[in-house]
Amino acid sequence: MKIILSLLALVTISTEAANLNVPGLGRDLNGWNGGVASYSKSGAVFSVAKPTQNYDENNNLIITTDVRELKKSSTVFKGLLRVLVSPDGTIRSISMTGEVDGHKFETGEVARQESIAADADASGEIEVAALTPADPQASPSQIMKDDFEARLASAVDRAKESGKTVKKDLSSWLFTSSASIGEVIADGTRITVNALFNNTSR
Amino acid sequence: MKTNILLTSLFFVLLPCSANEALDVLEGNKKVEEIDLPPLPDDPLEEDEKPVFVEPGWAASPLDPIWARAVLFEDNNNPWIQQLAIMGLYQWNGSWGTAETEGAPDTKIDTSRTRRARLGARMRIFGNTEVEAIGEFAGDARYQRLETLKGKTRVLPNHYVEYGKFRPQFGIEGSKDPALLLTPETSFLTNMLMPASTIGFMISQDCEPWDWGIGWFSNDTDRYLPGMRGSGLIAANLAYQMDEKLEGGSVVRTRWHLDYLYSMDGESSRALPRYRPNGMVASNGPQAVPIYRSFRHMFSTGVTVEGERFAFEGDFTLANGDYNVWGMTLSPSYWAVPGMLRVVGRYHYADTDAMGGLVGGLGAGSDPYFDSSPIFVGDEFHSFYLGANLHLYQDKFILMNGLEYSILKDEAGASFNTDAWIWHSGAKLSF
């Protein structure tokens, strides 16, 4: 009996894994429509594809999804958002690669601060999250999201800017914010990241 | 061991040197520092990278969804119709000034008018054809017309056939979509030599960096659908385009073009020129417009340079027939505020070897074909224009203002030389 119970416990532990509530994610992003959810933020319109979920050898959940922003009049942004979730449902790292106006960008992997010591032995290659969070009361998740947003804004602006001038007509100058394209993209992508955080659990 | 390491190091240092120099170093006759090594080759990857001019995009605007409504249908996967869109252009022009004529009364050219009111549609069909229809509703009865009804089919990769009613391509200003013109009016010689919109066809190929086209057009003209008249016009175009990187790292695009029109019908052509002011009375004089003869050969060659903020158009035109006219247009422009405020200049020169061979208008009535605005005759023309365009929404909603100084000499005629200071204002809305 004890052996059976131990085996059962072992199976339970070994199959313990995080998962993503895809319907819930869709609800947070205005609903799935043919496998894509769309929302607008700061004058930009974002579309997010239904994520794919895979598990690695350590039972970590790897979520990947396409995020795009297609404004016919200016920037063409497409990126692949990758989120690593540990079996207990905690998001451990976020990264994004993609293109903006044909120029490639990548944010690097932004890791949850408390996971650095555990993962450094394994790979030694995890990017260090911001060591000095702006708000000492902020949770590790908040710090990770803020750092990812900052890195994404910077990476997009660097990729887009290769000496290229953007023309801003009077209507754009009067009625849109002075935020850079990177800030707009990062601000919009944050909504997807928040939705992923809210719908990932064990 | 240490000797081996030293010799190996010396070997790699001396590798790019000549054999004699290497021996000198090894024998102790020379020091390594005394040898001039050849320069490193340039990065081969950097040399092979071809510069590409990318026109700066427009920042997002709250007016984007409004203008996007012009596209009624778009589906690139549909095998029949890929896109259906409406097109339109409304342009209002005003000009204020006085044409002062020596030995004759001055002519007031204060006027404002709806210069262009166009409405049409375009379709992309079958994956390889674009169809366009545009009607012009401004101007006199003869000016109001079916401006364009044409199709363009891609028959092979980069090979096209264009057919229907459209204007042969000639010159930079004459070939440009009126919505994209930088000045309120086209230049004196462009208005005078512009061929009519008539039926014909063009075969063209775009084989970067060259592109060429050759075609035939009828010499008939009609408000709706011209017929086949006479032997027609032959039209030929050739262009070369290149992108080059400047020292500062920015890329500019340069496009050279050569256009040729040959009218096989001479005086009986109705398409070239578009209008015949024979017997009309010019406003500088008054004097009768000399019998206006036709042109057989017309050439236009020029260059367009475009950078991120600076652009330049230079065009030289020559028309040969019963008499000759020639001229050039130089038009620089600069984005003082990229996307919002563009400073535009233009110098235009026209000349002829015939008395009263130059016929045209001034101010908002520059195009005598448009309506019955005052016309002027002379034999040498200079015009200086400086203005600024305020872009309210991209290139689609623009306010234009500028000052022009024009000189029309009449030395070969009765010396009714005319000059005018003209203020231009205009607004253009297109979709």
Side-chain angles (χ1 to χ4, degrees):
Chain A
M1 186 61 179
K2 283 184 182 176
I3 295 171
I4 294 171
L5 285 171
S6 304
L7 280 172
L8 271 173
L10 195 63
V11 167
T12 307
I13 291 167
S14 67
T15 58
E16 179 187 83
N19 67 80
L20 174 67
N21 178 4
V22 176
L25 178 70
R27 276 193 296 275
D28 286 349
L29 300 178
N30 287 345
W32 297 116
N33 184 6
V36 172
S38 299
Y39 58 91
S40 64
K41 175 80 173 151
S42 306
V45 177
F46 293 85
S47 67
V48 181
K50 262 190 186 172
T52 56
Q53 303 178 60
N54 293 297
Y55 293 88
D56 64 10
E57 61 277 6
N58 298 321
N59 233 15
N60 294 316
L61 169 63
I62 301 169
I63 303 170
T64 54
T65 180
D66 268 334
V67 180
R68 295 184 180 224
E69 200 283 329
L70 296 168
K71 285 290 272 188
K72 290 174 189 175
S73 56
S74 62
T75 312
V76 175
F77 168 86
K78 49 184 177 180
L80 186 69
L81 182 64
R82 183 182 181 278
V83 174
L84 180 73
V85 188
S86 58
D88 64 355
T90 306
I91 291 183
R92 294 295 174 187
S93 70
I94 315 171
S95 66
M96 193 168 201
T97 59
E99 286 185 2
V100 55
D101 280 352
H103 300 282
K104 293 193 189 312
F105 75 90
E106 59 177 299
T107 61
E109 200 155 352
V110 178
R112 190 182 180 86
Q113 269 192 312
E114 64 200 32
S115 69
I116 293 170
D119 295 341
D121 290 339
S123 66
E125 293 173 357
I126 300 291
E127 284 250 0
V128 177
L131 295 177
T132 312
D135 181 3
Q137 305 293 330
S139 65
S141 296
Q142 187 67 33
I143 295 168
M144 189 165 61
K145 284 191 269 186
D146 289 344
D147 191 32
F148 172 73
E149 189 176 338
R151 286 173 189 272
L152 179 59
S154 171
V156 168
D157 280 337
R158 273 200 316 271
K160 182 170 171 60
E161 199 39 55
S162 32
K164 191 174 153 185
T165 308
V166 173
K167 294 190 286 193
K168 213 170 176 183
D169 55 42
L170 187 63
S171 63
S172 180
W173 184 79
L174 284 176
F175 300 113
T176 57
S177 73
S178 58
S180 70
I181 291 293
E183 287 168 352
V184 170
I185 298 290
D187 198 30
T189 307
R190 178 72 174 250
I191 294 177
T192 302
V193 171
N194 284 340
L196 284 168
F197 268 76
N198 293 340
N199 289 282
T200 305
S201 59
R202 186 173 54 186
Chain B
M1 177 69 175
K2 286 185 182 176
T3 311
N4 287 340
I5 293 170
L6 177 63
L7 285 173
T8 309
S9 307
L10 272 176
F11 172 76
F12 282 104
V13 167
L14 298 175
L15 201 55
C17 307
S18 70
N20 287 337
E21 285 176 321
L23 280 173
D24 286 339
V25 171
L26 286 171
E27 289 170 0
N29 297 330
K30 270 189 183 177
K31 295 182 182 175
V32 174
E33 299 82 42
E34 293 170 4
I35 296 172
D36 291 327
L37 294 174
L40 286 170
D42 290 336
D43 185 354
L45 287 176
E46 201 177 283
E47 279 181 356
D48 290 344
E49 197 180 322
K50 198 176 164 189
V52 176
F53 174 76
V54 178
E55 189 171 347
W58 292 95
S61 163
L63 300 180
D64 289 339
I66 298 173
W67 257 264
R69 289 179 184 273
V71 179
L72 304 176
F73 171 81
E74 188 162 29
D75 180 3
N76 289 326
N77 295 324
N78 189 306
W80 307 109
I81 303 176
Q82 288 75 56
Q83 188 190 73
L84 174 63
I86 52 172
M87 302 160 60
L89 169 63
Y90 176 79
Q91 181 176 353
W92 171 88
N93 274 6
S95 64
W96 295 268
T98 304
E100 297 175 353
T101 306
E102 295 175 6
D106 297 343
T107 307
K108 278 274 184 198
I109 43 181
D110 297 349
T111 184
S112 65
R113 65 197 60 195
T114 296
R115 180 64 178 86
R116 289 180 180 92
R118 298 184 174 192
L119 190 62
R122 71 168 182 272
M123 273 200 309
R124 272 209 319 262
I125 57 177
F126 307 134
N128 65 348
T129 298
E130 289 181 8
V131 178
E132 202 172 287
I134 300 172
E136 172 66 76
F137 300 96
D140 282 354
R142 70 170 177 187
Y143 196 82
Q144 296 171 12
R145 64 199 182 280
L146 178 63
E147 169 73 22
T148 302
L149 178 62
K150 70 171 183 178
K152 184 172 181 180
T153 299
R154 188 184 71 249
V155 294
L156 288 171
N158 298 329
H159 291 70
Y160 304 90
V161 176
E162 210 169 348
Y163 42 88
K165 182 185 182 187
F166 58 107
R167 194 186 310 280
Q169 184 177 308
F170 186 76
I172 293 176
E173 269 188 334
S175 304
K176 209 182 252 197
D177 184 342
L180 300 177
L181 288 171
L182 298 180
T183 52
E185 285 291 339
T186 43
S187 61
F188 195 98
L189 207 56
T190 298
N191 290 326
M192 191 173 140
L193 298 178
M194 187 182 292
S197 177
T198 183
I199 59 164
F201 70 90
M202 285 287 294
I203 299 169
S204 61
Q205 183 187 8
D206 185 359
C207 42
E208 191 183 338
W210 294 92
D211 58 84
W212 61 268
I214 191 163
W216 176 91
F217 292 83
S218 165
N219 257 322
D220 192 21
T221 185
D222 187 84
R223 288 179 65 193
Y224 301 110
L225 285 176
M228 296 288 192
R229 180 187 170 90
S231 302
L233 296 171
I234 300 288
N237 316 114
L238 181 67
Y240 179 82
Q241 183 169 292
M242 65 177 181
D243 297 341
E244 52 185 324
K245 203 170 193 174
L246 301 180
E247 278 185 17
S250 60
V251 179
V252 294
R253 170 161 288 173
T254 305
R255 181 180 172 86
W256 166 85
H257 80 94
L258 174 64
D259 300 325
Y260 172 64
L261 287 178
Y262 172 53
S263 173
M264 294 182 275
D265 296 308
E267 283 185 33
S268 63
S269 170
R270 289 187 189 168
L272 190 69
R274 291 177 298 160
Y275 67 99
R276 294 176 182 275
N278 302 41
M280 291 173 67
V281 176
S283 294
N284 58 327
Q287 55 178 317
V289 176
I291 295 174
Y292 198 83
R293 294 185 175 88
S294 61
F295 300 103
R296 281 202 177 262
H297 303 276
M298 291 185 11
F299 298 89
S300 170
T301 186
V303 68
T304 305
V305 179
E306 189 178 359
E308 279 189 7
R309 294 182 77 152
F310 174 77
F312 174 79
E313 293 174 356
D315 215 7
F316 175 77
T317 303
L318 169 67
N320 166 262
D322 297 315
Y323 67 100
N324 303 312
V325 296
W326 60 91
M328 73 174 173
T329 307
L330 306 174
S331 185
S333 63
Y334 180 77
W335 284 106
V337 180
M340 198 191 313
L341 187 66
R342 191 171 192 174
V343 179
V344 178
R346 185 183 70 188
Y347 168 67
H348 178 64
Y349 160 70
D351 208 338
T352 180
D353 56 2
M355 181 185 74
L358 298 178
V359 182
L362 295 174
S366 290
D367 186 355
Y369 189 57
F370 179 75
D371 59 15
S372 52
S373 292
I375 58 170
F376 301 82
V377 298
D379 44 59
E380 186 177 326
F381 179 81
H382 300 268
S383 164
F384 303 86
Y385 174 87
L386 181 64
N389 298 341
L390 180 67
H391 291 246
L392 303 180
Y393 179 69
Q394 293 187 10
D395 286 328
K396 300 186 167 96
F397 191 8
I398 306 172
L399 300 180
M400 311 167 88
N401 288 285
L403 184 64
E404 181 183 13
Y405 178 59
S406 299
I407 303 166
L408 180 61
K409 293 185 182 177
D410 187 30
E411 300 296 341
S415 296
F416 289 118
N417 299 323
T418 305
D419 68 292
W421 283 96
I422 308 166
W423 176 262
H424 291 269
S425 283
K428 219 162 31 177
L429 189 148
S430 61
F431 53 90

